[in-house]
Amino acid sequence: GGIITQTPKFLIGQEGQKLTLKCQQNFNHDTMYWYRQDSGKGLRLIYYSITENDLQKGDLSEGYDASREKKSSFSLTVTSAQKNEMAVFLCASRTGGSAETLYFGSGTRLTVL
Amino acid sequence: DAKTTQPDSMESTEGETVHLPCSHATISGNEYIYWYRQVPLQGPEYVTHGLQQNTTNSMAFLAIASDRKSSTLILPHVSLRDAAVYHCILRVGRGQGTGSKLSFGKGAKLTVSP
């Protein structure tokens, strides 16, 4: 079996700060995702990547950058943290084929002071 | 993108069989129905998926209506560990090997009482 590791687990930032979240997977999956989850709400797709050096915008890409320099890693940057922002950022990778199963990390919890 | 509709919450008691409904009236012919569940402080976990036929695995039974406009996740003999938010989602996108969006809603919160 594999695992998805997200770092850090908790991230506290200041308004206007650039913050980077990292995700590593050892499934050897091609496609990786970043989602944002706000309290009591669903997951919203920020970016995804179907292979190394590929980036695709999701529904919530404004205010974020992403990077996929290696197949096993996918990082997300909050370009300018918003005051009082609180959310969980979830990374996932998926199996191949016509059916897709996502495997998620346990998340990075962001608080902006 | 096709969307799904689920109740906000459902309550159950340990040992019961729980039926979690999901409506997807605008589903396309090649879209799969996926179920994930999420417990606090964790990312969603895959439960099951199906296209047309009912499916079963160690976690759950997925019943898909013949017109595919709805499905029901059936959890037999629930325990406290089954308490979670259950997400019913549809695969969006085309083709093998291509990345595709998977959009999640709020899901249905299942509460299990002792």
Side-chain angles (χ1 to χ4, degrees):
Chain A
I3 190 169
I4 295 187
T5 303
Q6 291 187 239
T7 56
K9 288 190 185 302
F10 299 93
L11 183 56
I12 300 176
Q14 302 289 330
E15 184 181 17
Q17 192 176 0
K18 179 186 285 189
L19 303 167
T20 297
L21 292 67
K22 295 186 182 298
C23 177
Q24 296 268 346
Q25 54 100 358
N26 62 0
F27 289 102
N28 200 35
H29 289 162
D30 287 316
T31 305
M32 296 184 72
Y33 299 80
W34 275 107
Y35 288 91
R36 173 182 168 132
Q37 186 171 35
D38 293 273
S39 180
K41 297 185 179 179
L43 283 69
R44 290 182 288 173
L45 181 63
I46 306 172
Y47 267 97
Y48 65 103
S49 166
I50 64 173
T51 190
E52 185 177 323
N53 293 319
D54 174 76
L55 293 174
Q56 309 278 343
K57 291 185 178 181
D59 301 318
L60 197 67
S61 61
E62 189 171 336
Y64 301 93
D65 287 328
S67 173
R68 184 91 184 274
E69 294 178 359
K70 293 191 302 184
K71 185 177 182 179
S72 61
S73 66
F74 192 28
S75 62
L76 180 72
T77 298
V78 180
T79 56
S80 179
Q82 301 300 303
K83 189 174 176 63
N84 297 323
E85 182 176 7
M86 286 182 65
V88 176
F89 292 84
L90 291 162
C91 176
S93 69
R94 76 168 174 90
T95 57
S98 58
E100 297 142 351
T101 302
L102 289 179
Y103 292 87
F104 283 84
S106 56
T108 292
R109 283 151 186 81
L110 172 66
T111 302
V112 181
L113 302 177
Chain B
D1 298 348
K3 297 197 186 313
T4 62
T5 303
Q6 299 177 255
D8 288 339
S9 62
M10 292 190 69
E11 295 183 356
S12 65
T13 304
E14 272 192 299
E16 285 182 344
T17 296
V18 173
H19 292 72
L20 297 172
C22 182
S23 172
H24 26 81
T26 58
I27 189 171
S28 298
N30 60 352
E31 286 186 303
Y32 287 79
I33 301 155
Y34 281 80
W35 284 83
Y36 286 80
R37 69 180 185 183
Q38 186 178 18
V39 298
L41 304 181
Q42 294 291 327
E45 174 192 29
Y46 168 81
V47 177
T48 190
H49 74 278
L51 182 63
Q52 251 181 327
Q53 305 297 321
N54 296 340
T55 62
T56 188
N57 62 21
S58 60
M59 295 176 76
F61 179 82
L62 176 60
I64 301 173
S66 56
D67 63 4
R68 298 203 337 119
K69 294 185 176 182
S70 66
S71 60
T72 303
L73 186 72
I74 301 170
L75 304 174
H77 310 299
V78 294
S79 70
L80 297 177
R81 290 175 298 178
D82 293 314
V85 175
Y86 285 80
H87 299 274
C88 168
I89 64 171
L90 303 179
R91 175 201 179 209
V92 175
R94 298 291 184 266
Q96 278 193 337
T98 60
S100 60
K101 295 181 182 181
L102 283 174
S103 300
F104 288 74
K106 286 195 306 182
K109 183 177 182 178
L110 175 65
T111 304
V112 181
S113 302

